[in-house]
Amino acid sequence: MCLVFKVSFTLADAPELFEGFGKLHIRVLRRLDLVLQARMVFIGLALSCFDILLASPITGKPNAKNSHGQKRFEANKENTMRRLVPLQGILSLFLMTESRVTNVPLFALFELQLQGLAHMNLSLSETNLTSIIFQYMSFFAFGGSNAISTIDLSNGYNGVAGYNVMVVGALTFCSNWAGPIWWTLATASLLVRGRQGKSRRFKNSYVLSTIFVANATLFVMLACTALRTHLFVWTVFSPKFLYIIAWVVGQHLCVNTAFLACSLWVENKDSHSNSARYDHVHRT
């Protein structure tokens, strides 16, 4: 359904990309209502997401030999990854729906990069530094910049029949920050698979990200204050200040916080379930 919607949307937005394809297929897709298709896609992805989050953890049969220490930690890690991997796929489908069609192949490249990073066994600080670099890299790779004129509004109305400032604003943010949002959840999977251990890894990662965001915001504010009388204050420094607000409020306070809470909830749920099962086997 996501593919059908993306093809239909591209036919309406950039029909020149489909020159040479069969006219019959194009006519059929053009008759489909874009708003209805988008809503069906969003509802399907939301239901799939809730099904994964609320499903019972999948574990092998526990035994008394592996009921303590590292074995239990590995079981918790395995169950957390069994939730995060499907969630990563659902998020990828949603972000592909909200991205320009020319940027869709980049998600395959991101997945290859994630698999390579997963085999490097990064520490907590290395994971956070890599996450920050890849978030900003993906933002600019998707065509983003520090200019207001580069904001893509075309995907902000997917599934919206009329103007709704909250919905359109959220979808526009997801469209323009698709790369950083993808790497936020990818960072959670790297933290689970890394060598930093379970103890407060998500919270420590969030603290490190907060320190970076706070310092970046401070230096942008100092630069804008020092150069407030510059000729380019309204064309260069003002847009940059607005973008740093979007990074802080949208990406960090909303996206990073949401994924932190989701990751902690998934991990704690699986951890408690596994602990109860292993303790029961140990007692018996």
Side-chain angles (χ1 to χ4, degrees):
M1 191 64 202
C2 294
L3 177 61
V4 173
F5 167 75
K6 201 61 187 175
V7 172
S8 302
F9 180 85
T10 306
L11 282 173
D13 186 55
E16 66 276 2
L17 296 177
F18 287 90
E19 291 183 0
F21 287 83
K23 295 183 178 180
L24 176 62
H25 298 84
I26 292 178
R27 285 199 299 267
V28 171
L29 291 175
R30 280 178 174 171
R31 294 175 182 175
L32 301 177
D33 183 37
L34 290 176
V35 175
L36 179 61
Q37 288 185 71
R39 290 177 178 177
M40 292 177 63
V41 169
F42 293 157
I43 292 174
L45 293 177
L47 292 177
S48 301
C49 183
F50 282 118
D51 180 63
I52 294 171
L53 290 175
L54 299 178
S56 300
I58 305 172
T59 57
K61 185 178 180 180
N63 54 72
K65 295 181 180 180
N66 62 4
S67 59
H68 295 289
Q70 184 66 22
K71 292 295 184 180
R72 181 180 298 185
F73 171 73
E74 291 296 333
N76 295 337
K77 179 190 292 188
E78 181 181 356
N79 277 291
T80 304
M81 287 305 303
R82 283 176 175 172
R83 293 182 190 273
L84 289 180
V85 171
L87 286 176
Q88 186 82 30
I90 293 174
L91 179 66
S92 298
L93 289 175
F94 170 72
L95 295 177
M96 288 179 190
T97 304
E98 288 299 307
S99 300
R100 298 186 183 99
V101 67
T102 53
N103 291 334
V104 170
L106 291 177
F107 287 99
L109 178 60
F110 292 165
E111 184 63 34
L112 293 176
Q113 292 173 327
L114 176 61
Q115 295 304 319
L117 292 171
H119 289 85
M120 295 176 66
N121 201 18
L122 302 174
S123 65
L124 178 62
S125 58
E126 292 170 342
T127 301
N128 273 273
L129 179 60
T130 303
S131 172
I132 292 171
I133 292 174
F134 275 82
Q135 284 184 35
Y136 279 86
M137 175 274 297
S138 60
F139 175 77
F140 292 107
F142 272 56
S145 70
N146 291 321
I148 302 297
S149 58
T150 59
I151 296 177
D152 180 24
L153 301 175
S154 60
N155 291 286
Y157 290 85
N158 292 340
V160 182
Y163 182 71
N164 186 311
V165 63
M166 297 298 295
V167 176
V168 173
L171 291 177
T172 300
F173 176 82
C174 292
S175 174
N176 290 271
W177 267 261
I181 293 173
W182 192 93
W183 277 106
T184 300
L185 186 57
T187 303
S189 65
L190 289 175
L191 290 172
V192 173
R193 289 184 279 200
R195 68 172 188 263
Q196 58 274 356
K198 179 182 175 182
S199 178
R200 298 177 63 84
R201 54 187 169 185
F202 290 114
K203 294 180 181 179
N204 291 339
S205 174
Y206 186 79
V207 169
L208 292 175
S209 299
T210 302
I211 293 173
F212 170 80
V213 170
N215 281 277
T217 306
L218 173 63
F219 284 110
V220 170
M221 294 174 65
L222 291 175
C224 291
T225 302
L227 299 172
R228 62 187 181 276
T229 59
H230 195 277
L231 180 63
F232 296 150
V233 64
W234 296 112
T235 57
V236 176
F237 303 111
S238 177
K240 175 59 180 177
F241 187 72
L242 295 177
Y243 267 96
I244 201 66
I245 293 175
W247 276 101
V248 173
V249 178
Q251 177 64 21
H252 186 64
L253 294 182
C254 294
V255 176
N256 288 353
T257 304
F259 283 133
L260 169 68
C262 179
S263 300
L264 286 174
W265 183 81
V266 168
E267 187 176 54
N268 289 334
K269 179 180 179 181
D270 293 340
S271 178
H272 293 159
S273 177
N274 282 329
S275 297
R277 296 185 64 187
Y278 281 116
D279 292 340
H280 173 73
V281 171
H282 183 68
R283 287 194 300 268
T284 57

